[in-house]
Amino acid sequence: MDNRGGKRENAGRKSKSEEVKLLEKLGALEPLAFLALEKGLEKGDFKFTQLFYNYYAGKPRETKEITVTNEQPIFNIGDLDEI
């Protein structure tokens, strides 16, 4: 078999019918999942609280502050003379 790329078996997003089947299976576990979440919240476990608010209110946006202290040229002018 040639492994140089191209379409791979089982790659990509699952079909809609497979997603629906999975949701049907998980639906039966929903009460149990809510019970486990409730128990974790009652214990005061931060991870359960974080999980709850990430879904309830949405995750906060991540921001990154980038500071550039000095400028560096992308290329040297002398390099262009050689072309």
Side-chain angles (χ1 to χ4, degrees):
M1 183 173 188
D2 191 5
N3 289 328
R4 290 185 288 172
K7 184 179 176 183
R8 294 178 309 221
E9 191 174 332
N10 296 324
R13 186 175 176 151
K14 302 288 183 204
S15 69
K16 188 69 174 176
S17 63
E18 288 181 55
E19 287 183 18
V20 169
K21 287 178 188 176
L22 180 59
L23 285 173
E24 288 172 356
K25 286 182 183 179
L26 292 175
L29 299 174
E30 186 177 3
L32 185 61
F34 277 116
L35 184 62
L37 176 62
E38 185 178 11
K39 286 181 181 179
L41 290 170
E42 287 172 356
K43 288 181 189 176
D45 189 335
F46 174 74
K47 284 293 183 183
F48 286 94
T49 306
Q50 183 181 35
L51 179 68
F52 174 79
Y53 277 108
N54 280 345
Y55 282 96
Y56 183 72
K59 284 181 131 182
R61 290 188 182 201
E62 289 186 27
T63 58
K64 294 182 182 179
E65 190 171 321
I66 300 172
T67 307
V68 178
T69 56
N70 62 351
E71 294 183 25
Q72 285 190 310
I74 298 172
F75 55 88
N76 293 323
I77 302 288
D79 292 344
L80 294 178
D81 294 336
E82 296 173 5
I83 298 177

